[in-house]
Amino acid sequence: MLLFTQLLYAQSTLVTITEDATATTSSLSNTDLYDFNDLSNGLNSNVSWDGVGSFDQVYVREANRFGGAVDESTGQGSRFSYVKSAYNIESSTLTLDNSSSYFGMWWSAGDSANLLTFYNNDNVVAQYTTQSMFGSLNLSQDYYGNPLTGGNGGEPYAFINFFGDAETSWNKIELTQLGGGGFESDNYTTRIETFNPDTDSQEALGTIIAEVSGTETTNLDAPSENWEWAFEESAPGAPTPPIFALMFFIAAIIKTKFLGI
């Protein structure tokens, strides 16, 4: 049973940033995008994301120096999600219709009280803070300050990608503000499949900044052994899920030892 537990929870997410510090969208293909532009300013409850999932609540603001990704139709900043206790919203939760292994968003004006948590039902898959995401050596000064307005130069802005490995997925994403300030974000992007080097470009993968398992973050500037496959020319086959691998192992022992097959 100890072996089973260790295998079941050996999960990993790879965190990357887009190559271009001014980018506010994902370059990954075959994704679904939510940009908040069609919502009213203020608090919105029970918001549906067609074909993807729903938000319990979202507070929406007009673009300012702290948030609001580029609206491709105007070239200007757009409405964005804002989590702030002073606005009677301490968290915003996106529940997905299908478990997924990729999520991306423009994380703007990152501050120390921002907390992003991925869940599989009620189990924490991975948890991210501004410090863990923006503490990487790969994040240069180019990522500080709003790339659209040039303001707020003391805080980082970047489009961040979260890729699950072959055994890692989530069905709920929660944004929480733990203290003062606000959690600004925009252009939520998701798809069920993780990065696939057979069909996705290396440019879409971005620059590695960290590997996360649960609440443990390891800053990286190169792929670890867990993620070397993402940089190979051909993707590996998906590994056998641990629970089934263990069942086959036990069945083989029973057949050999007790049934003499």
Side-chain angles (χ1 to χ4, degrees), residues 184-195:
E184 299 88 356
S185 58
D186 202 354
N187 281 354
Y188 292 9
T189 309
T190 185
R191 77 177 192 186
I192 293 174
E193 301 82 11
T194 188
F195 180 82

Side-chain angles (χ1 to χ4, degrees), residues 17 41 47-48 73 111 114 131 149 154-155 203 221 256 261:
I17 53 174
N41 287 334
V47 176
S48 176
S73 65
D111 67 54
N114 295 169
Q131 182 177 5
T149 68
E155 292 185 314
E203 290 77 14
D221 57 8
T256 303
I261 297 176

Side-chain angles (χ1 to χ4, degrees), residues 129-139 144 156 209-210 219-220:
T129 64
T130 303
Q131 182 177 5
S132 65
M133 293 304 90
F134 295 107
S136 169
L137 295 177
N138 282 323
L139 197 72
Y144 282 79
I209 59 175
N219 287 332
L220 301 172

Side-chain angles (χ1 to χ4, degrees), residues 8-245:
L8 184 60
Y9 291 98
Q11 299 184 330
S12 171
T13 60
L14 187 71
V15 186
T16 71
I17 53 174
T18 53
E19 297 284 352
D20 185 352
T22 66
T24 61
T25 58
S26 173
S27 56
L28 197 67
S29 59
N30 302 314
T31 58
D32 290 288
L33 171 69
Y34 197 90
D35 60 15
F36 305 101
N37 294 346
D38 293 331
L39 295 181
S40 300
N41 287 334
L43 187 62
N44 298 260
S45 300
N46 301 318
V47 176
S48 176
W49 182 352
D50 291 344
V52 175
S54 61
F55 300 88
D56 61 343
Q57 56 182 358
V58 175
Y59 194 96
V60 175
R61 296 191 67 182
E62 292 289 347
N64 56 33
R65 68 181 184 279
F66 300 113
V70 175
D71 183 336
E72 298 295 340
S73 65
T74 65
Q76 304 298 313
S78 62
R79 291 174 178 169
F80 65 97
S81 168
Y82 190 50
V83 178
K84 184 178 178 69
S85 57
Y87 285 68
N88 297 317
I89 178 168
E90 296 180 353
S91 67
S92 177
T93 300
L94 167 62
T95 301
L96 301 171
D97 294 337
N98 298 291
S99 294
S100 301
S101 295
Y102 169 74
F103 180 75
M105 70 177 192
W106 192 50
W107 194 332
S108 59
D111 67 54
S112 59
N114 295 169
L115 181 68
L116 179 67
T117 308
F118 288 12
Y119 293 90
N120 182 7
N121 297 322
D122 292 327
N123 299 314
V124 174
V125 173
Q127 194 169 78
Y128 315 90
T129 64
T130 303
Q131 182 177 5
S132 65
M133 293 304 90
F134 295 107
S136 169
L137 295 177
N138 282 323
L139 197 72
S140 68
Q141 282 299 121
D142 292 341
Y143 290 90
Y144 282 79
N146 190 319
L148 308 182
T149 68
N152 195 35
E155 292 185 314
Y157 296 68
F159 193 92
I160 308 239
N161 302 290
F162 306 90
F163 297 97
D165 65 15
E167 297 177 12
T168 304
S169 62
W170 46 82
N171 56 17
K172 187 167 61 175
I173 301 169
E174 182 181 61
L175 291 84
T176 306
Q177 184 67 12
L178 298 177
F183 193 156
E184 299 88 356
S185 58
D186 202 354
N187 281 354
Y188 292 9
T189 309
T190 185
R191 77 177 192 186
I192 293 174
E193 301 82 11
T194 188
F195 180 82
N196 185 337
D198 278 345
T199 56
D200 298 317
S201 69
Q202 291 294 323
E203 290 77 14
L205 183 63
T207 300
I208 297 173
I209 59 175
E211 183 176 341
V212 179
S213 180
T215 59
E216 298 296 321
T217 298
T218 303
N219 287 332
L220 301 172
D221 57 8
S224 69
E225 291 182 1
N226 292 339
W227 287 93
E228 287 180 352
W229 61 266
F231 295 83
E232 296 174 355
E233 294 182 358
S234 137
T240 304
I243 185 170
F244 295 111

